[in-house]
Amino acid sequence: AQSVTQLGSHVSVSEGALVLLRCNYSSSVPPYLFWYVQYPNQGLQLLLKYTSAATLVKGINGFEAEFKKSETSFHLTKPSAHMSDAAEYFCAVRDGEAAGNKLTFGGGTRVLVKP
Amino acid sequence: DTAVSQTPKYLVTQMGNDKSIKCEQNLGHDTMYWYKQDSKKFLKIMFSYNNKELIINETVPNRFSPKSPDKAHLNLHINSLELGDSAVYFCASSQFTDTQYFGPGTRLTVL
């Protein structure tokens, strides 16, 4: 079964500082990996996805993530945090077709941005 | 032009009642999902339907019954509501193996 671990349930950064959110996965098949963001009282919005093309994936709002197979990681970064980045971030891995393509999510990381 | 919509957004009810949550997508997708997000923000798949056919039923109590009248709709009916059912329920859709797009969520509170 697939699993996802997000290190750190809370991350606090200063405005303008680097944002780094960690995600490690386990998968028995080549993984399809996703980062979603959830703003307060809203649904999940796709930030970016890895689908076995380039290992460095660029997403919306200045975020990017790097797939490292040897480390089974898919960490999310943004060079300079904005106040608007305060939200909950979820890493997810997608099961294969035999398992119905369901998403298995990590526990989420809440980002707080300090002025 | 909302892609995935859910109604209602908030649902407050008493234990033992029966309630439904509706989901509609206008993306032309063939697969729809229900996820549950608990009070600790943990997200877990409940069901998925592909072309109105049940694909995933993830050890959910049989008090929960999804219904897909057509490809664009996936409703969730819950019988005999319990306190532990309080959560945010998200509907999502995808073109089978492609990216899943989520609705805004329905916050269910059982008193």
Side-chain angles (χ1 to χ4, degrees):
Chain A
Q2 322 276 54
S3 68
V4 177
T5 302
Q6 291 183 238
L7 294 176
S9 59
H10 293 80
V11 168
S12 181
V13 297
S14 297
E15 196 173 15
L18 171 72
V19 180
L20 170 60
L21 305 183
R22 299 179 186 276
C23 172
N24 289 89
Y25 69 91
S26 69
S27 174
S28 56
V29 297
Y32 284 66
L33 295 158
F34 303 81
W35 276 100
Y36 284 86
V37 60
Q38 184 180 24
Y39 298 102
N41 297 314
Q42 294 188 28
L44 280 77
Q45 180 181 1
L46 179 70
L47 274 178
L48 49 80
K49 62 181 178 182
Y50 169 76
T51 57
S52 76
T55 56
L56 183 62
V57 181
K58 293 189 183 300
I60 62 170
N61 302 337
F63 284 94
E64 63 181 33
E66 186 172 11
F67 172 71
K68 291 187 176 181
K69 184 178 179 180
S70 60
E71 298 177 9
T72 60
S73 69
F74 190 55
H75 301 333
L76 181 72
T77 60
K78 181 173 179 177
S80 176
H82 294 164
M83 297 299 292
S84 60
D85 295 326
E88 191 92 23
Y89 292 80
F90 293 94
C91 182
V93 63
R94 197 190 75 204
D95 279 356
E97 290 185 38
N101 298 301
K102 68 178 183 182
L103 290 175
T104 297
F105 286 89
T109 298
R110 176 162 292 180
V111 173
L112 172 66
V113 182
K114 298 176 293 185
Chain B
D1 60 344
T2 304
V4 182
S5 59
Q6 296 178 227
T7 53
K9 187 168 176 61
Y10 299 97
L11 185 53
V12 181
T13 188
Q14 300 287 332
M15 262 195 321
N17 284 351
D18 303 339
K19 290 293 179 186
S20 292
I21 305 171
K22 296 186 176 182
C23 177
E24 176 181 2
Q25 54 95 3
N26 63 5
L27 298 167
H29 290 165
D30 58 10
T31 306
M32 296 184 72
Y33 311 79
W34 279 109
Y35 287 85
K36 179 180 180 180
Q37 185 176 44
D38 64 23
S39 59
K40 295 184 178 181
K41 300 283 189 178
F42 184 68
L43 276 153
K44 187 171 168 61
I45 184 76
M46 299 174 70
F47 302 102
S48 80
Y49 271 74
N50 177 258
N51 281 322
K52 303 196 301 176
E53 180 183 345
L54 180 65
I55 301 297
I56 298 174
N57 183 342
E58 194 80 357
T59 61
V60 177
N62 57 16
R63 297 183 295 103
F64 290 78
S65 53
K67 292 283 192 307
S68 182
D70 54 56
K71 278 174 44 174
H73 296 85
L74 180 62
N75 303 322
L76 183 64
H77 188 76
I78 315 170
N79 290 328
S80 302
L81 279 155
E82 301 177 357
L83 293 176
D85 298 331
S86 294
V88 181
Y89 292 85
F90 287 102
C91 178
S93 74
S94 70
Q95 187 55 28
F96 198 39
T97 63
D98 207 347
T99 301
Q100 293 181 28
Y101 294 90
F102 285 76
T106 296
R107 183 176 295 277
L108 171 64
T109 302
V110 182
L111 303 175

